[in-house]
Amino acid sequence: RKSIKKLTTGSKNLDDLLGGGLETQSITEFFGEFGSGKTQIMLQLAVNSTLPEENGGFDSDVLIIDTENTFRPERIIQMSKYKGLDPDTVLKRIHVARAYNSHHQILLAEKAADLSKEFDIKLLLVDSLTSHFRSEYMGRGSLAERQQLLNRHMHDLLKFGTINNAVIAVTNQVSARPDIFFGDPMTPIGGNIVGHTATFRIYLRKSKGGKRIARLIDSPYLPEGETVIQLSEDGIMD
Ligand code: GTP
Ligand code: MG
C-alpha cells in the first residue's frame, strides 16, 4: 500500500478541517445546494493538483468527469494565474470527459485506468456524481437499481484512487423535495450508498457574499467541525 498524500484545497481553514487536505485513496464528497461552491472547489482542486508537492499539489495530471457541462477553462486560467502557474500548461494537464448519461459516466470511470497509463493522474473528479442517476431513475421501482449502479460506480472510483494513489473528489446536490426517493431536504442524493463509500463528506452552505461554510460530516477519525472559506475571482481561499 502506497503512503497517503494530501492535496490542498487552497483554503488553509478547509485544509485544517480535513487534517491537511484531501487524502489519496479515499473519496471526498462535497454536497450542498446550487451555488454553494461545489464546482468552484472542483476547478480549484484541478489547478492545485498541478502544483509542485512543496506547494500542496501532486505535480500531476487530472481527470474530470463532467456530467453537467460546467467545466470552464476561463476559471482554470484565472485560478492558474493567481497561483503563478502557466495557464496553458495547466489546461493541457486537465483532461475533461463529458458524461452524457449515467451509463456513460460509469464507463468513463472504468476507462480512467487506460488514461492513467498515458498520463500521471493523481486527481479524479466527478461533478456531479449523482445528477444523471437522479434524473434517470425516478420511480419507486428503480430506486434499488439506481443505488446498485451508484454503489458499483463508487467502488470503481475508489479502486482507481487506491491503485494510482489518487485523490477522488465528487459533488452531490442536496435534495429539494422531502419524499421517499430523495429523502429529507438537505439530505445528499444517493443517501446511504454514497455516505458509506465516501470517506470524507463536506456539507457546503451559503453565507454572506462569497463566504461559504464547510462542515465535515461523519468522518471516521477527524473531529466534526466547520469552517469558513471564501469563493473569489482568484479561486478558493480563506
Ligand atoms: P450547482 O452545480 O448548481 O449545484 O452549484 P455549485 O455548488 O456547483 O456552485 P458553483 O460552484 O457553480 O458556484 C458557486 C458560486 O461561485 C456562485 O455563487 C457563483 O456566483 C460563483 N461563481 C461561479 N463562476 C464564477 C466566476 O467565474 N467568477 C467568480 N468570481 N465567481 C463565480
Ligand atoms: Mg456545480
Side-chain angles (χ1 to χ4, degrees), residues 31-43 68 70 72 74-75 78 127-128 171-174 204 206 209-210 212 231-235:
F31 71 100
E33 64 173 328
F34 69 93
S36 59
K38 303 180 295 292
T39 295
Q40 297 305 307
I41 291 174
M42 293 299 109
L43 298 175
E68 299 184 312
T70 50
R72 293 288 174 270
E74 315 87 79
R75 289 298 285 144
Q78 283 176 312
D127 185 12
S128 137
T171 68
N172 197 352
Q173 269 244 6
V174 288
L204 296 166
K206 294 176 195 167
R212 296 291 184 274
L231 309 182
S232 82
E233 206 60 30
D234 292 326

Side-chain angles (χ1 to χ4, degrees), residues 118-173:
E118 200 178 337
F119 301 100
D120 179 31
I121 294 166
K122 292 271 182 283
L123 175 65
L124 170 53
L125 303 170
V126 186
D127 185 12
S128 137
L129 177 74
T130 47
S131 58
H132 284 316
F133 290 93
R134 184 187 200 182
S135 62
E136 290 166 30
Y137 296 89
M138 294 289 287
R140 195 184 291 260
S142 56
L143 184 64
E145 192 187 355
R146 182 187 83 177
Q147 294 303 82
Q148 191 221 322
L149 288 170
L150 203 46
N151 185 38
R152 187 182 117 196
H153 180 47
M154 291 199 69
H155 280 96
D156 290 341
L157 295 172
L158 194 55
K159 189 173 156 196
F160 182 92
T162 308
I163 291 173
N164 297 286
N165 200 21
V167 165
I168 312 295
V170 304
T171 68
N172 197 352
Q173 269 244 6

